Amino acid sequence: MDLQAVAFYVLAAMLVVSALAVVLIPNVFRAGLFLVLAFFAVAGLFITLGADFLGAVQILVYVGAIGVLLLLAIMLTRDVHHGSPGNRLWLPASVLGALLLGAVSWSLLNTTWADKAAEMPVPATAALGASVFDLQNGFILPLEIGALALLAVVIGAIVLVGEKK
Amino acid sequence: MSVGLEQYLLLSAVLFTIGLVGALSKRNAIIVLMCIEIMLNAVNLTLVAFYRYGGLDITGMVFALFVMLVAAAEVALGLAIVFSLYRSRETVDLAEMDMMKW
């Protein structure tokens, strides 16, 4: 087993356990902490895939911003003592989930995938930057639209939760 | 035991299923938002795995980057909505948020 395989299996076990904990643990605050652990595991998996920049962005955006925001929201809404109860749909939802997982796993195990791992640039940060900011086939307009969407979200969030005078 | 595309795809499928079941079956609005984040992470993992093993070009990573951008926007706005609902109804229980039900 090479180093990538060891890292993959350790991170995958960590990820599945912490994702299950988010769904199963009754204490909402601890579920939030397990979600942060799951974000860290996904960042590690990105790095095993050679996507260093995405791993760093994952930690900055998900752990740094989204994780803190979710934990803050949990503490502000004071519903920790109510726990995270399931609704009436938990049985059909579990059956649907099992069916979906079975169908997806069956189809992905019965597909022959092309393996061109040797041709891809690793680490890919320079190639990613060149691809995003390429003047002919780049993604500059979507990037600007994304920035505009973030601005709109900030204004919308202020309008939604701001003090009503 | 070597690791290839299939192991990453299987892991993403498991992660997506956990998120889906949680999002469908939980009553706490913040837990539902967390489960949606888990599902978005599973999709990102699939995109990056496809980039690494050559199914998608570098575009797979660009797409994952945009998914992260939209996820940040989504969680900020989702929590703002949960906050304003909590302010008016003193709960984040989705079963009690039925004012738009006919």
Side-chain angles (χ1 to χ4, degrees):
Chain A
M1 266 167 68
D2 55 330
L3 200 62
Q4 195 209 354
V6 176
F8 172 79
Y9 284 111
V10 170
L11 288 168
M14 201 169 114
L15 179 55
V16 171
V17 167
S18 49
L20 277 176
V22 171
V23 178
L24 296 178
I25 276 189
N27 184 323
V28 183
F29 189 76
R30 285 186 191 156
L33 290 178
F34 271 109
L35 186 75
V36 171
L37 187 64
F39 288 159
F40 267 117
V42 173
L45 285 168
F46 282 168
I47 290 169
T48 66
L49 284 167
D52 304 25
F53 179 70
L54 278 188
V57 170
Q58 170 87 10
I59 290 181
L60 285 174
V61 172
Y62 274 96
V63 178
I66 294 179
V68 170
L69 201 60
L70 280 168
L71 289 177
L72 189 76
I74 289 166
M75 291 197 275
L76 279 176
T77 50
R78 287 159 162 266
D79 256 13
V80 181
H81 51 280
H82 287 155
S84 82
N87 59 17
R88 284 171 299 150
L89 280 174
W90 69 268
L91 189 62
S94 311
V95 173
L96 182 76
L99 281 177
L100 178 81
L101 183 60
V104 171
S105 327
W106 183 83
S107 55
L108 80 86
L109 290 174
N110 285 294
T111 308
T112 357
W113 300 100
D115 189 353
K116 289 186 275 182
E119 299 167 24
M120 303 311 288
V122 172
T125 308
L128 177 66
S131 167
V132 170
F133 293 108
D134 186 62
L135 285 180
Q136 259 76 47
N137 300 311
F139 297 86
I140 298 173
L141 182 63
L143 205 68
E144 295 298 330
I145 295 173
L148 203 64
L150 281 180
L151 180 67
V153 162
V154 170
I155 296 172
I158 292 171
V159 169
L160 273 175
V161 299
E163 291 291 326
K164 306 281 188 298
K165 288 277 157 59
Chain B
M1 278 203 300
S2 69
V3 174
L5 180 60
E6 283 170 3
Q7 278 80 5
Y8 281 99
L9 292 184
L10 264 180
L11 177 64
S12 305
V14 170
L15 197 61
F16 189 86
T17 310
I18 293 172
L20 179 70
V21 172
L24 286 178
S25 69
K26 286 291 172 181
R27 271 169 50 190
N28 188 322
I30 298 176
I31 295 279
V32 171
L33 275 175
M34 287 182 188
C35 290
I36 292 172
E37 291 304 312
I38 291 179
M39 288 160 74
L40 287 167
N41 264 294
V43 173
N44 268 353
L45 197 57
T46 314
L47 287 168
V48 177
F50 271 127
Y51 142 74
R52 180 68 184 85
Y53 291 98
L56 286 172
D57 209 5
I58 196 91
T59 322
M61 275 175 68
V62 177
F63 200 9
L65 209 58
F66 281 106
V67 171
M68 280 184 184
L69 194 156
V70 174
E74 172 256 322
V75 79
L77 211 50
L79 285 177
I81 293 171
V82 170
F83 263 164
S84 63
L85 278 171
Y86 180 74
R87 242 191 219 164
S88 57
R89 320 206 94 193
E90 295 285 311
T91 180
V92 290
D93 191 337
L94 288 175
E96 290 179 32
M97 293 176 188
D98 52 2
M99 63 273 239
M100 283 180 82
K101 236 185 209 171
W102 190 50

